[in-house]
Amino acid sequence: MLRLQNQPAAAQRLILQAAAGIESTGLGTAPQRAAYAQMLCTTSYTAARAGDRTQALAMIEEARRAARSLPERPPRGRLFPLTPAAVDLYAVGV
């Protein structure tokens, strides 16, 4: 919502704070890694839309690392059904 209201810096801060909270769990499960990678994809896209190329590329690369071990087909009902291919699709948008 913050991005849509033309507040990309606030949007990035909020998402990165939430991502740090998830990262602090150790990302020991696929759902945690998927949530973390989804947040990084979102902030990467937000940074790209704001013209922050450095941040956008750094976040999409971190999302790729987090998603690397995710299954190609997430289990049904997963809250964040992110896959490595979906991260690649975000990268195209970024």
Side-chain angles (χ1 to χ4, degrees):
M1 197 61 173
L2 289 168
R3 183 180 73 229
L4 296 176
Q5 293 180 344
N6 200 28
Q7 297 182 44
Q12 286 181 53
R13 277 193 309 275
L14 180 64
I15 295 168
L16 289 174
Q17 286 173 348
I22 291 174
E23 184 181 28
S24 72
T25 68
L27 304 175
T29 68
Q32 290 168 336
R33 288 188 299 277
Y36 179 69
Q38 180 66 63
M39 290 177 172
L40 294 174
C41 286
T42 300
T43 197
S44 175
Y45 182 79
T46 300
R49 296 274 304 163
D52 188 346
R53 178 181 170 82
T54 301
Q55 178 77 345
L57 294 176
M59 292 298 99
I60 203 65
E61 283 307 311
E62 179 64 21
R64 279 187 171 131
R65 281 190 289 278
R68 195 173 293 147
S69 65
L70 294 175
E72 291 298 319
R73 298 189 70 150
R76 290 187 71 200
R78 178 167 288 164
L79 183 58
F80 295 99
L82 197 74
T83 64
V87 175
D88 289 340
L89 187 57
Y90 264 97
V92 169
V94 168

Coordinates of all heavy atoms in Angstrom, one line a residue:
M1 N 0.8 -1.2 0.0 CA 0.0 0.0 0.0 C 0.9 1.3 0.0 O 0.5 2.2 -0.7 CB -0.9 0.0 1.2 CG -2.0 0.9 1.1 SD -3.0 0.4 -0.3 CE -4.3 1.4 -0.2
L2 N 2.0 1.2 0.8 CA 2.8 2.4 0.8 C 3.4 2.7 -0.6 O 3.6 3.8 -1.0 CB 4.0 2.2 1.8 CG 3.5 2.2 3.3 CD1 4.6 1.7 4.2 CD2 3.1 3.6 3.6
R3 N 3.8 1.6 -1.3 CA 4.3 1.8 -2.7 C 3.3 2.5 -3.5 O 3.6 3.4 -4.3 CB 4.8 0.5 -3.3 CG 5.4 0.7 -4.6 CD 5.9 -0.6 -5.3 NE 4.8 -1.4 -5.7 CZ 4.6 -2.6 -5.5 NH1 5.4 -3.3 -4.7 NH2 3.5 -3.3 -5.9
L4 N 2.1 2.0 -3.5 CA 1.0 2.6 -4.3 C 0.7 4.1 -3.9 O 0.2 4.8 -4.7 CB -0.3 1.8 -4.2 CG -0.1 0.3 -4.7 CD1 -1.4 -0.4 -4.4 CD2 0.2 0.3 -6.2
Q5 N 1.0 4.4 -2.7 CA 0.8 5.8 -2.3 C 2.1 6.7 -2.5 O 2.3 7.7 -1.9 CB 0.4 5.9 -0.8 CG -1.0 5.3 -0.6 CD -1.4 5.3 0.9 OE1 -0.5 5.5 1.8 NE2 -2.6 5.1 1.1
N6 N 3.0 6.1 -3.3 CA 4.2 6.8 -3.7 C 5.1 7.1 -2.5 O 5.7 8.2 -2.3 CB 3.9 8.1 -4.4 CG 5.1 8.6 -5.2 OD1 6.0 7.8 -5.6 ND2 5.2 9.9 -5.5
Q7 N 5.2 6.1 -1.6 CA 6.1 6.2 -0.4 C 7.1 5.0 -0.4 O 7.1 4.2 0.5 CB 5.3 6.2 0.8 CG 4.4 7.4 1.0 CD 3.7 7.4 2.3 OE1 4.2 7.2 3.3 NE2 2.4 7.8 2.2
P8 N 7.9 4.9 -1.5 CA 8.8 3.7 -1.6 C 9.7 3.5 -0.5 O 10.0 2.4 -0.1 CB 9.5 3.9 -3.0 CG 9.4 5.4 -3.2 CD 8.2 5.8 -2.6
A9 N 10.3 4.6 0.1 CA 11.3 4.4 1.2 C 10.6 3.8 2.4 O 11.2 2.9 3.0 CB 11.9 5.8 1.5
A10 N 9.4 4.3 2.7 CA 8.7 3.7 3.9 C 8.3 2.3 3.6 O 8.4 1.4 4.5 CB 7.5 4.6 4.2
A11 N 7.9 2.0 2.4 CA 7.5 0.6 2.0 C 8.7 -0.3 2.2 O 8.6 -1.4 2.7 CB 7.0 0.6 0.6
Q12 N 9.9 0.1 1.7 CA 11.1 -0.7 1.8 C 11.5 -0.9 3.3 O 11.8 -2.1 3.7 CB 12.3 -0.1 1.0 CG 12.1 -0.2 -0.5 CD 13.3 0.4 -1.2 OE1 14.4 0.0 -0.9 NE2 13.0 1.3 -2.1
R13 N 11.4 0.1 4.1 CA 11.8 0.0 5.5 C 10.9 -1.0 6.2 O 11.3 -1.9 6.9 CB 11.7 1.3 6.2 CG 12.9 2.2 6.1 CD 12.9 3.4 7.0 NE 11.6 4.1 7.0 CZ 11.4 5.1 6.2 NH1 12.3 5.5 5.3 NH2 10.2 5.8 6.2
L14 N 9.6 -0.9 5.9 CA 8.6 -1.8 6.5 C 8.8 -3.3 6.1 O 8.9 -4.2 7.0 CB 7.2 -1.4 6.2 CG 6.1 -2.2 6.8 CD1 6.1 -2.1 8.3 CD2 4.7 -1.8 6.2
I15 N 9.0 -3.5 4.8 CA 9.2 -4.9 4.4 C 10.5 -5.4 4.9 O 10.6 -6.6 5.3 CB 9.2 -4.9 2.8 CG1 7.8 -4.6 2.3 CG2 9.6 -6.3 2.3 CD1 7.7 -4.3 0.8
L16 N 11.6 -4.6 4.9 CA 12.9 -5.1 5.3 C 12.9 -5.4 6.8 O 13.5 -6.4 7.3 CB 14.0 -4.1 5.0 CG 14.3 -4.1 3.5 CD1 15.4 -3.0 3.2 CD2 14.9 -5.4 3.0
Q17 N 12.1 -4.7 7.6 CA 12.0 -5.0 9.0 C 11.3 -6.3 9.2 O 11.7 -7.1 10.0 CB 11.2 -3.9 9.8 CG 12.0 -2.6 10.0 CD 11.2 -1.5 10.5 OE1 9.9 -1.6 10.6 NE2 11.8 -0.4 11.0
A18 N 10.2 -6.5 8.5 CA 9.5 -7.8 8.6 C 10.4 -8.9 8.1 O 10.4 -10.0 8.7 CB 8.2 -7.7 7.7
A19 N 11.1 -8.7 7.0 CA 12.0 -9.8 6.5 C 13.1 -10.1 7.5 O 13.4 -11.3 7.7 CB 12.6 -9.3 5.2
A20 N 13.6 -9.1 8.2 CA 14.6 -9.4 9.2 C 14.1 -10.2 10.3 O 14.8 -11.1 10.9 CB 15.2 -8.1 9.8
G21 N 12.8 -10.0 10.7 CA 12.2 -10.8 11.7 C 12.1 -12.2 11.3 O 12.3 -13.2 12.1
I22 N 11.7 -12.5 10.1 CA 11.6 -13.9 9.6 C 13.0 -14.5 9.4 O 13.2 -15.6 9.8 CB 10.9 -13.9 8.2 CG1 9.4 -13.6 8.5 CG2 11.0 -15.3 7.6 CD1 8.6 -13.4 7.2
E23 N 14.0 -13.7 9.0 CA 15.4 -14.2 8.8 C 15.9 -14.6 10.2 O 16.7 -15.6 10.3 CB 16.2 -13.1 8.2 CG 17.6 -13.6 7.9 CD 18.5 -12.5 7.3 OE1 18.3 -11.3 7.5 OE2 19.4 -12.9 6.6
S24 N 15.5 -13.9 11.2 CA 16.0 -14.2 12.6 C 15.6 -15.6 13.1 O 16.2 -16.1 14.0 CB 15.6 -13.1 13.6 OG 14.2 -13.2 13.9
T25 N 14.6 -16.2 12.4 CA 14.2 -17.6 12.8 C 15.2 -18.6 12.3 O 15.1 -19.8 12.7 CB 12.9 -17.9 12.1 OG1 13.0 -18.0 10.7 CG2 11.8 -16.9 12.4
G26 N 16.1 -18.2 11.5 CA 17.1 -19.1 10.9 C 16.7 -19.7 9.6 O 17.5 -20.4 9.0
L27 N 15.5 -19.4 9.2 CA 15.0 -19.9 7.9 C 15.1 -21.4 7.7 O 15.5 -21.9 6.7 CB 15.7 -19.1 6.7 CG 15.6 -17.6 6.7 CD1 16.4 -17.0 5.6 CD2 14.2 -17.1 6.7
G28 N 14.8 -22.1 8.8 CA 14.9 -23.5 8.8 C 13.9 -24.3 8.1 O 14.1 -25.5 7.9
T29 N 12.8 -23.7 7.7 CA 11.7 -24.4 7.0 C 11.5 -23.8 5.7 O 11.8 -22.6 5.5 CB 10.4 -24.4 7.8 OG1 9.9 -23.1 7.9 CG2 10.6 -24.9 9.3
A30 N 10.9 -24.5 4.8 CA 10.6 -24.0 3.4 C 9.6 -22.9 3.5 O 9.7 -21.9 2.8 CB 10.1 -25.1 2.5
P31 N 8.5 -23.0 4.4 CA 7.6 -21.8 4.5 C 8.3 -20.5 4.9 O 8.0 -19.4 4.4 CB 6.6 -22.3 5.5 CG 6.5 -23.8 5.3 CD 8.0 -24.1 5.1
Q32 N 9.3 -20.6 5.8 CA 10.0 -19.5 6.3 C 10.8 -18.9 5.2 O 10.9 -17.7 4.9 CB 10.9 -19.8 7.5 CG 10.1 -20.1 8.8 CD 11.0 -20.7 9.8 OE1 12.0 -21.3 9.6 NE2 10.5 -20.5 11.1
R33 N 11.5 -19.8 4.4 CA 12.3 -19.3 3.3 C 11.4 -18.7 2.2 O 11.8 -17.7 1.6 CB 13.1 -20.4 2.7 CG 14.3 -20.9 3.6 CD 15.2 -21.9 3.0 NE 14.6 -23.1 2.6 CZ 14.4 -24.1 3.4 NH1 14.7 -24.0 4.7 NH2 13.8 -25.2 3.0
A34 N 10.3 -19.3 2.0 CA 9.4 -18.7 1.0 C 8.9 -17.3 1.4 O 8.8 -16.4 0.5 CB 8.2 -19.7 0.7
A35 N 8.5 -17.2 2.6 CA 8.0 -15.9 3.1 C 9.1 -14.8 3.0 O 8.9 -13.7 2.5 CB 7.5 -16.0 4.5
Y36 N 10.3 -15.2 3.4 CA 11.5 -14.3 3.3 C 11.8 -13.9 1.9 O 11.9 -12.7 1.6 CB 12.7 -15.0 4.0 CG 13.9 -14.2 4.0 CD1 14.1 -13.1 4.7 CD2 15.0 -14.6 3.2 CE1 15.3 -12.4 4.8 CE2 16.2 -13.9 3.2 CZ 16.3 -12.8 4.0 OH 17.5 -12.1 4.0
A37 N 11.8 -14.9 1.0 CA 12.1 -14.6 -0.4 C 11.0 -13.7 -1.0 O 11.3 -12.8 -1.8 CB 12.3 -15.9 -1.2
Q38 N 9.7 -14.0 -0.7 CA 8.6 -13.2 -1.2 C 8.8 -11.7 -0.8 O 8.6 -10.8 -1.6 CB 7.3 -13.7 -0.7 CG 6.1 -12.9 -1.2 CD 6.0 -13.0 -2.7 OE1 5.7 -14.1 -3.2 NE2 6.1 -11.9 -3.4
M39 N 9.1 -11.5 0.5 CA 9.3 -10.1 1.0 C 10.5 -9.5 0.2 O 10.4 -8.3 -0.1 CB 9.6 -10.1 2.5 CG 8.4 -10.5 3.2 SD 8.8 -10.5 5.0 CE 7.1 -10.7 5.7
L40 N 11.6 -10.2 0.0 CA 12.7 -9.6 -0.7 C 12.3 -9.3 -2.2 O 12.8 -8.3 -2.7 CB 13.9 -10.6 -0.7 CG 14.5 -10.8 0.7 CD1 15.6 -11.8 0.7 CD2 15.0 -9.5 1.3
C41 N 11.5 -10.2 -2.8 CA 11.1 -9.9 -4.2 C 10.2 -8.6 -4.2 O 10.4 -7.7 -5.1 CB 10.2 -11.0 -4.7 SG 11.1 -12.5 -5.1
T42 N 9.4 -8.4 -3.2 CA 8.5 -7.3 -3.1 C 9.3 -6.0 -2.9 O 9.1 -5.0 -3.6 CB 7.5 -7.4 -2.0 OG1 6.7 -8.6 -2.2 CG2 6.6 -6.2 -1.9
T43 N 10.3 -6.0 -2.0 CA 11.1 -4.8 -1.8 C 12.0 -4.6 -3.0 O 12.3 -3.4 -3.3 CB 11.9 -4.9 -0.4 OG1 12.3 -3.6 -0.1 CG2 13.0 -5.8 -0.5
S44 N 12.5 -5.6 -3.6 CA 13.3 -5.4 -4.8 C 12.5 -4.7 -5.9 O 13.0 -3.7 -6.5 CB 13.8 -6.8 -5.4 OG 14.4 -6.6 -6.6
Y45 N 11.3 -5.1 -6.1 CA 10.4 -4.5 -7.1 C 10.1 -3.0 -6.7 O 10.2 -2.1 -7.5 CB 9.1 -5.2 -7.3 CG 8.2 -4.7 -8.3 CD1 8.4 -4.9 -9.7 CD2 7.1 -3.9 -7.9 CE1 7.6 -4.4 -10.6 CE2 6.3 -3.3 -8.9 CZ 6.5 -3.6 -10.2 OH 5.7 -3.0 -11.2
T46 N 9.9 -2.8 -5.4 CA 9.6 -1.4 -4.9 C 10.9 -0.6 -5.1 O 10.7 0.6 -5.6 CB 9.3 -1.5 -3.4 OG1 8.1 -2.3 -3.3 CG2 9.1 -0.1 -2.8
A47 N 12.0 -1.1 -4.9 CA 13.3 -0.3 -5.1 C 13.5 0.0 -6.6 O 13.8 1.1 -6.9 CB 14.5 -1.1 -4.5
A48 N 13.2 -1.0 -7.4 CA 13.3 -0.7 -8.9 C 12.4 0.4 -9.3 O 12.7 1.2 -10.1 CB 13.0 -2.0 -9.6
R49 N 11.1 0.3 -8.9 CA 10.1 1.3 -9.2 C 10.6 2.7 -8.8 O 10.3 3.7 -9.4 CB 8.8 1.0 -8.7 CG 8.2 -0.3 -9.2 CD 7.4 -0.1 -10.5 NE 6.4 0.9 -10.3 CZ 5.7 1.5 -11.2 NH1 6.0 1.2 -12.5 NH2 4.8 2.4 -11.0
A50 N 11.3 2.8 -7.6 CA 11.8 4.0 -7.1 C 13.1 4.5 -7.7 O 13.6 5.6 -7.4 CB 11.9 3.9 -5.6
G51 N 13.6 3.7 -8.6 CA 14.9 4.0 -9.3 C 16.1 3.7 -8.5 O 17.2 4.1 -8.9
D52 N 16.0 2.9 -7.5 CA 17.2 2.4 -6.7 C 17.7 1.1 -7.2 O 17.4 0.0 -6.7 CB 16.8 2.3 -5.2 CG 18.0 2.1 -4.3 OD1 19.1 1.8 -4.8 OD2 17.8 2.3 -3.1
R53 N 18.5 1.2 -8.3 CA 19.0 0.0 -9.0 C 19.8 -0.9 -8.1 O 19.7 -2.1 -8.1 CB 19.8 0.4 -10.2 CG 20.4 -0.7 -11.0 CD 21.2 -0.2 -12.2 NE 22.0 -1.2 -12.8 CZ 21.6 -2.1 -13.7 NH1 20.3 -2.1 -14.0 NH2 22.4 -3.0 -14.2
T54 N 20.7 -0.3 -7.3 CA 21.6 -1.1 -6.4 C 20.8 -1.9 -5.4 O 21.0 -3.1 -5.3 CB 22.6 -0.1 -5.7 OG1 23.3 0.6 -6.7 CG2 23.5 -0.9 -4.8
Q55 N 19.9 -1.3 -4.7 CA 19.0 -2.0 -3.8 C 18.2 -3.0 -4.5 O 18.0 -4.1 -3.9 CB 18.1 -1.0 -3.0 CG 17.2 -1.6 -2.0 CD 17.9 -2.0 -0.7 OE1 19.1 -2.1 -0.6 NE2 17.1 -2.3 0.3
A56 N 17.6 -2.7 -5.6 CA 16.8 -3.6 -6.3 C 17.5 -4.9 -6.7 O 17.0 -6.0 -6.5 CB 16.2 -3.0 -7.6
L57 N 18.7 -4.7 -7.2 CA 19.5 -5.9 -7.6 C 20.0 -6.7 -6.4 O 20.0 -7.9 -6.4 CB 20.7 -5.5 -8.5 CG 20.3 -4.9 -9.8 CD1 21.5 -4.4 -10.6 CD2 19.5 -5.9 -10.7
A58 N 20.4 -6.0 -5.3 CA 20.8 -6.7 -4.1 C 19.7 -7.6 -3.5 O 19.9 -8.7 -3.1 CB 21.3 -5.7 -3.1
M59 N 18.5 -7.0 -3.5 CA 17.4 -7.7 -2.9 C 16.9 -8.9 -3.8 O 16.6 -10.0 -3.2 CB 16.2 -6.8 -2.7 CG 16.4 -5.7 -1.6 SD 16.7 -6.4 0.0 CE 18.5 -6.4 0.2
I60 N 17.0 -8.8 -5.1 CA 16.5 -9.9 -5.9 C 17.6 -11.0 -5.9 O 17.2 -12.2 -5.9 CB 16.2 -9.5 -7.4 CG1 15.3 -10.5 -8.0 CG2 17.5 -9.3 -8.2 CD1 13.9 -10.6 -7.4
E61 N 18.8 -10.7 -5.7 CA 19.9 -11.7 -5.6 C 19.7 -12.5 -4.2 O 19.8 -13.7 -4.2 CB 21.3 -11.1 -5.7 CG 21.6 -10.9 -7.1 CD 21.4 -12.1 -8.0 OE1 21.9 -13.2 -7.7 OE2 20.8 -11.9 -9.1
E62 N 19.4 -11.7 -3.2 CA 19.1 -12.4 -1.9 C 17.9 -13.2 -1.9 O 17.9 -14.3 -1.4 CB 19.0 -11.3 -0.8 CG 18.7 -11.9 0.6 CD 19.9 -12.7 1.2 OE1 21.0 -12.6 0.7 OE2 19.6 -13.6 2.1
A63 N 16.9 -12.8 -2.7 CA 15.7 -13.6 -2.8 C 16.0 -14.9 -3.6 O 15.5 -16.0 -3.2 CB 14.6 -12.8 -3.6
R64 N 16.9 -14.8 -4.6 CA 17.3 -16.0 -5.3 C 18.0 -17.0 -4.4 O 17.7 -18.2 -4.5 CB 18.2 -15.6 -6.5 CG 17.5 -15.1 -7.7 CD 18.4 -15.0 -8.8 NE 17.7 -14.7 -10.1 CZ 18.0 -13.7 -10.9 NH1 19.0 -12.9 -10.6 NH2 17.3 -13.5 -12.0
R65 N 18.8 -16.5 -3.5 CA 19.5 -17.4 -2.6 C 18.6 -18.0 -1.7 O 18.7 -19.2 -1.4 CB 20.6 -16.6 -1.8 CG 21.9 -16.4 -2.6 CD 23.0 -15.8 -1.7 NE 22.8 -14.4 -1.3 CZ 23.0 -13.4 -2.0 NH1 23.6 -13.5 -3.2 NH2 22.8 -12.2 -1.5
A66 N 17.6 -17.3 -1.1 CA 16.6 -17.8 -0.2 C 15.7 -18.8 -0.9 O 15.3 -19.8 -0.2 CB 15.8 -16.7 0.4
A67 N 15.4 -18.6 -2.1 CA 14.5 -19.5 -2.8 C 15.1 -20.7 -3.5 O 14.5 -21.6 -3.9 CB 13.7 -18.7 -3.9
R68 N 16.4 -20.7 -3.5 CA 17.2 -21.8 -4.2 C 16.8 -23.2 -3.8 O 16.7 -24.1 -4.6 CB 18.7 -21.6 -4.0 CG 19.6 -22.4 -4.9 CD 21.0 -22.0 -4.7 NE 21.2 -20.6 -5.1 CZ 22.1 -19.8 -4.6 NH1 22.9 -20.2 -3.6 NH2 22.3 -18.6 -5.0
S69 N 16.5 -23.4 -2.5 CA 16.1 -24.7 -2.0 C 14.6 -25.0 -2.0 O 14.2 -26.0 -1.5 CB 16.7 -24.9 -0.6 OG 16.1 -24.0 0.3
L70 N 13.8 -24.0 -2.4 CA 12.4 -24.2 -2.4 C 12.0 -25.2 -3.6 O 12.6 -25.2 -4.6 CB 11.7 -22.9 -2.6 CG 11.8 -21.9 -1.5 CD1 11.1 -20.6 -1.9 CD2 11.2 -22.4 -0.2
P71 N 10.9 -25.9 -3.3 CA 10.5 -26.8 -4.4 C 9.9 -26.1 -5.6 O 9.5 -25.0 -5.5 CB 9.3 -27.6 -3.7 CG 8.9 -26.8 -2.6 CD 10.0 -25.9 -2.2
E72 N 10.0 -26.8 -6.8 CA 9.5 -26.2 -8.0 C 8.0 -26.0 -8.0 O 7.4 -25.2 -8.6 CB 9.9 -27.0 -9.2 CG 11.4 -26.9 -9.5 CD 11.9 -25.5 -9.8 OE1 11.2 -24.8 -10.6 OE2 13.0 -25.2 -9.4
R73 N 7.3 -26.9 -7.2 CA 5.9 -26.8 -7.0 C 5.6 -26.8 -5.5 O 5.8 -27.8 -4.8 CB 5.2 -28.0 -7.7 CG 5.5 -28.1 -9.2 CD 4.7 -29.1 -9.8 NE 3.3 -28.6 -9.7 CZ 2.3 -28.9 -10.6 NH1 2.6 -29.7 -11.6 NH2 1.1 -28.4 -10.5
P74 N 5.2 -25.7 -5.0 CA 4.9 -25.6 -3.6 C 3.7 -26.4 -3.2 O 2.8 -26.7 -4.0 CB 4.6 -24.1 -3.3 CG 4.2 -23.6 -4.7 CD 4.9 -24.4 -5.7
P75 N 3.7 -26.9 -1.9 CA 2.5 -27.7 -1.5 C 1.3 -26.8 -1.5 O 1.3 -25.6 -1.3 CB 2.9 -28.0 0.0 CG 4.4 -27.8 0.1 CD 4.7 -26.8 -0.9
R76 N 0.1 -27.5 -1.7 CA -1.1 -26.8 -1.8 C -1.4 -26.1 -0.4 O -1.0 -26.6 0.6 CB -2.3 -27.7 -2.0 CG -2.2 -28.2 -3.5 CD -3.4 -29.1 -3.8 NE -4.6 -28.1 -3.9 CZ -5.8 -28.5 -3.8 NH1 -6.1 -29.8 -3.6 NH2 -6.8 -27.6 -3.9
G77 N -1.9 -24.9 -0.5 CA -2.3 -24.2 0.7 C -1.2 -23.4 1.4 O -1.4 -22.7 2.4
R78 N 0.0 -23.4 0.8 CA 1.1 -22.6 1.4 C 0.8 -21.1 1.2 O 0.4 -20.7 0.2 CB 2.4 -22.9 0.7 CG 3.6 -22.1 1.3 CD 4.9 -22.5 0.9 NE 5.2 -23.8 1.6 CZ 6.2 -24.6 1.3 NH1 7.0 -24.3 0.3 NH2 6.5 -25.7 2.0
L79 N 1.0 -20.4 2.3 CA 0.7 -19.0 2.3 C 1.5 -18.2 1.3 O 1.0 -17.3 0.6 CB 0.9 -18.4 3.7 CG 0.6 -16.9 3.9 CD1 -0.9 -16.7 3.6 CD2 0.8 -16.5 5.4
F80 N 2.8 -18.5 1.2 CA 3.7 -17.9 0.2 C 4.1 -19.0 -0.8 O 5.2 -19.6 -0.5 CB 4.8 -17.2 0.9 CG 4.5 -16.0 1.8 CD1 4.4 -16.2 3.1 CD2 4.2 -14.8 1.2 CE1 4.0 -15.2 3.9 CE2 3.8 -13.7 2.0 CZ 3.7 -13.9 3.4
P81 N 3.4 -19.2 -1.9 CA 3.7 -20.3 -2.8 C 4.9 -19.9 -3.7 O 4.8 -20.2 -4.9 CB 2.4 -20.6 -3.5 CG 1.7 -19.2 -3.5 CD 2.1 -18.5 -2.2
L82 N 5.9 -19.3 -3.3 CA 7.0 -18.8 -4.1 C 7.8 -20.0 -4.5 O 8.1 -20.9 -3.8 CB 7.8 -17.8 -3.3 CG 8.7 -16.9 -4.2 CD1 7.9 -15.9 -5.0 CD2 9.8 -16.3 -3.4
T83 N 8.3 -19.9 -5.8 CA 9.2 -20.9 -6.3 C 10.4 -20.2 -6.9 O 10.4 -19.0 -7.1 CB 8.6 -21.7 -7.5 OG1 8.3 -20.8 -8.5 CG2 7.3 -22.4 -7.0
P84 N 11.5 -20.9 -7.1 CA 12.7 -20.3 -7.8 C 12.3 -19.6 -9.1 O 12.8 -18.5 -9.4 CB 13.7 -21.4 -8.0 CG 13.4 -22.4 -6.8 CD 11.8 -22.3 -6.7
A85 N 11.4 -20.3 -9.9 CA 11.0 -19.7 -11.1 C 10.2 -18.4 -10.9 O 10.4 -17.4 -11.7 CB 10.1 -20.7 -11.9
A86 N 9.5 -18.3 -9.9 CA 8.7 -17.0 -9.6 C 9.7 -15.9 -9.2 O 9.5 -14.8 -9.6 CB 7.7 -17.3 -8.5
V87 N 10.8 -16.2 -8.5 CA 11.8 -15.2 -8.3 C 12.4 -14.7 -9.6 O 12.6 -13.5 -9.7 CB 12.8 -15.8 -7.3 CG1 14.0 -14.7 -7.1 CG2 12.2 -16.1 -5.9
D88 N 12.7 -15.7 -10.5 CA 13.2 -15.3 -11.8 C 12.3 -14.3 -12.5 O 12.7 -13.4 -13.2 CB 13.5 -16.5 -12.6 CG 14.7 -17.3 -12.1 OD1 15.6 -16.7 -11.4 OD2 14.9 -18.4 -12.5
L89 N 11.0 -14.6 -12.4 CA 10.0 -13.7 -13.0 C 10.0 -12.3 -12.4 O 9.9 -11.3 -13.1 CB 8.6 -14.4 -12.9 CG 7.5 -13.7 -13.7 CD1 7.8 -13.6 -15.2 CD2 6.2 -14.4 -13.5
Y90 N 10.1 -12.3 -11.1 CA 10.3 -11.0 -10.4 C 11.5 -10.3 -10.9 O 11.5 -9.0 -11.2 CB 10.4 -11.1 -8.9 CG 9.1 -11.0 -8.1 CD1 8.4 -12.1 -7.7 CD2 8.7 -9.7 -7.7 CE1 7.2 -12.0 -7.0 CE2 7.5 -9.6 -7.0 CZ 6.8 -10.7 -6.6 OH 5.6 -10.6 -5.9
A91 N 12.6 -11.0 -11.1 CA 13.8 -10.4 -11.6 C 13.6 -9.7 -13.0 O 14.2 -8.7 -13.2 CB 14.9 -11.4 -11.7
V92 N 12.8 -10.3 -13.8 CA 12.5 -9.7 -15.1 C 11.8 -8.4 -14.9 O 12.2 -7.4 -15.6 CB 11.6 -10.7 -16.0 CG1 11.1 -10.0 -17.2 CG2 12.4 -11.9 -16.3
G93 N 10.9 -8.3 -14.0 CA 10.2 -7.1 -13.7 C 11.1 -6.0 -13.1 O 11.0 -4.8 -13.3
V94 N 12.0 -6.5 -12.3 CA 13.0 -5.6 -11.6 C 13.9 -5.0 -12.7 O 14.2 -3.8 -12.7 CB 13.8 -6.3 -10.5 CG1 14.9 -5.5 -10.0 CG2 12.8 -6.6 -9.4

